[in-house]
Amino acid sequence: MDKREAVGSWLSGPRAAAESAGVDFGYRGEQLGLPEEGPGSIARPGRRIGALAVDWGLCLLIAYGLITDGYQQATGNWALLVFFAMGVLTVGTLGFTPGKRLLGLRVVGQETGRVHPGRALLRTALLCLAVPALVWDRDGRGLHDRLARTVEVRI
């Protein structure tokens, strides 16, 4: 192997180096039996972050306008509580939050296709901690989705 090839594989990352060695990773969601594109495929990070921003903005508005009456120091804490309640109630019953629905996303159970309320509770609690949502697997699912055995897909 030429030194330039070794440095190039190091700079491009471990996935590119493995792919150049012949490893086939497939597409996101292939291991879960989901389609590569279109309805039912794994939700892309941009849409997921956008839906989270819409939901968080809605929760901030609710907390600021209805609960804290403009007291800004408490608004963030109340917004997190509203976000938790909204996530548990809407994902556990409908399968999506207002932001997910607006951007065409849905949370489904890995085996059954429906999200059990207990799984919605676990998923939302881990999402509120933020760190599990930042750790992703090769399918693009966060740790909160893996532990709750859920998948966020496109509608």
Side-chain angles (χ1 to χ4, degrees), residues 80-114:
L80 186 62
L81 186 64
V82 171
F83 180 81
F84 178 77
M86 180 182 71
V88 170
L89 294 174
T90 59
V91 171
T93 56
L94 303 172
F96 50 80
T97 61
K100 288 182 192 344
R101 181 66 181 156
L102 184 67
L103 293 173
L105 303 177
R106 183 177 184 93
V107 178
V108 296
Q110 192 171 334
E111 300 89 18
T112 61
R114 291 208 41 143

Side-chain angles (χ1 to χ4, degrees), residues 46-58:
R47 281 189 180 194
R48 293 178 74 164
I49 292 170
L52 182 65
V54 169
D55 289 337
W56 183 251
L58 181 64

Side-chain angles (χ1 to χ4, degrees), residues 59-73:
C59 292
L60 276 173
L61 284 173
I62 292 170
Y64 183 79
L66 299 178
I67 300 172
T68 63
D69 198 31
Y71 182 62
Q72 293 190 4
Q73 289 183 333

Side-chain angles (χ1 to χ4, degrees), residues 96-145:
F96 50 80
T97 61
K100 288 182 192 344
R101 181 66 181 156
L102 184 67
L103 293 173
L105 303 177
R106 183 177 184 93
V107 178
V108 296
Q110 192 171 334
E111 300 89 18
T112 61
R114 291 208 41 143
V115 180
H116 186 273
R119 289 186 183 179
L121 178 76
L122 175 65
R123 181 184 188 278
T124 307
L126 291 171
L127 185 60
C128 287
L129 292 176
V131 174
L134 298 174
V135 179
W136 291 10
D137 65 0
R138 69 177 283 285
D139 287 322
R141 290 191 317 158
L143 188 58
H144 64 295
D145 276 327

